[in-house]
């Protein structure tokens, strides 16, 4: 039970599992979580926005693994000692919104909000502006304003690391575009050649 442990004990599991931010930056997740513990974090925002064309990996993850994502977010809240969790999802993903709301309603202080599906909503600064209503100063980090943003895939990886003792060895990948015979999302081991995924699809 991660909630029976001190935050320092929980984040040790995340560090050892090699969890990184899965929104694209691949920054070690534990660095941002520990930074959050040093600041007064009021709100943890889970980024469920995919503003790039074709991408639907996070959409499928939220539809199919919503309870695990919410659990990961609750673990992240425990580590950072933040107050609220806001899961922000673009309004063109109704199934994901419904799945995440159903999972979130079982726990307190978690809200799911729909944000406009406009570019670049997947960027942390734009997401904070849409959800909280204030801008992060150019020379500041979001943590300086009491907000931490993590991707929904990162929250899922935190769940796996803490609950299942599973390192980050795979992720959901979208294989799409007009030249792909069967566009789809696949869970691929990290290190899988892109050519293999194209052949599969």
């Amino acid at each position: 039970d991660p909630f029976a442990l001190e935050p320092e004990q929980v984040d040790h599991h995340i560090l050892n599992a090699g969890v990184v931010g899965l929104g694209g930056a691949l920054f070690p997740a534990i660095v941002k979580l520990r930074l959050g513990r040093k600041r007064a974090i009021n709100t943890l925002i889970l980024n469920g926005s995919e503003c790039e064309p074709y991408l639907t990996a996070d959409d499928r993850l939220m539809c199919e693994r919503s309870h695990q994502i919410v659990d990961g977010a609750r673990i992240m809240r425990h580590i950072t000692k933040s107050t609220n969790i806001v899961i922000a999802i673009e309004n063109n993903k109704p199934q994901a919104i419904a799945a995440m709301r159903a999972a979130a309603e079982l726990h307190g202080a978690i809200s799911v909000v729909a944000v406009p599906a406009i570019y670049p909503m997947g960027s942390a600064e734009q997401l904070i502006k849409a959800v909280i209503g204030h801008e992060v100063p150019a020379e500041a980090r979001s943590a300086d304003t009491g907000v931490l943003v993590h991707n929904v895939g990162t929250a899922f990886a935190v769940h796996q690391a803490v609950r299942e003792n599973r390192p980050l060895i795979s992720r959901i990948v979208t294989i799409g575009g007009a030249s792909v015979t069967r566009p789809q999302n696949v869970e691929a081991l990290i290190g899988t050649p892109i050519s293999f995924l194209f052949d599969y699809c």
Side-chain angles (χ1 to χ4, degrees):
D1 179 8
F3 306 111
L5 302 175
E6 291 298 318
E8 294 81 5
Q9 295 173 290
V10 180
D11 68 24
H12 183 72
H13 292 282
I14 299 168
L15 174 65
N16 285 346
V19 177
V20 296
L22 293 175
L26 300 180
F27 191 74
I30 198 62
V31 174
K32 193 191 284 190
L33 289 170
R34 286 176 175 170
L35 176 66
R37 196 157 60 230
K38 295 175 184 176
R39 306 286 207 283
I41 299 300
N42 300 315
T43 305
L44 170 65
I45 297 178
L46 278 199
N47 188 348
S49 298
E50 291 175 303
C51 55
E52 300 295 340
Y54 296 109
L55 291 186
T56 56
D58 288 345
D59 187 10
R60 293 313 313 158
L61 187 67
M62 290 186 287
C63 288
E64 298 177 12
R65 299 173 183 177
S66 56
H67 291 279
Q68 294 94 323
I69 294 170
V70 168
D71 183 62
R74 293 177 63 233
I75 293 170
M76 295 162 101
R77 176 172 63 188
H78 177 63
I79 291 171
T80 60
K81 300 181 180 179
S82 54
T83 306
N84 302 308
I85 298 172
V86 178
I87 304 169
I89 307 170
E90 288 171 309
N91 58 16
N92 63 351
K93 298 174 172 58
Q95 288 180 307
I97 291 171
M100 294 303 293
R101 281 184 175 155
E105 69 183 9
L106 303 174
H107 310 282
I110 302 176
S111 59
V112 178
V113 299
V115 295
I118 55 175
Y119 187 85
M121 192 54 70
S123 170
E125 289 76 15
Q126 277 73 24
L127 199 63
I128 291 170
K129 175 73 173 173
V131 173
I132 306 296
H134 66 250
E135 294 185 16
V136 178
E139 301 299 323
R141 294 178 173 165
S142 61
D144 298 329
T145 64
V147 181
L148 270 187
V149 180
H150 279 278
N151 180 264
V152 291
T154 308
F156 178 68
V158 166
H159 161 83
Q160 289 188 307
V162 175
R163 297 287 193 180
E164 302 171 15
N165 200 31
R166 184 182 190 269
L168 180 60
I169 57 173
S170 67
R171 69 157 297 147
I172 308 298
V173 180
T174 300
I175 311 298
S179 61
V180 178
T181 306
R182 292 179 297 121
Q184 61 187 291
N185 288 291
V186 297
E187 183 169 3
L189 292 171
I190 293 172
T192 301
I194 296 297
S195 59
F196 180 88
L197 299 180
F198 279 128
D199 289 344
Y200 180 77
C201 297

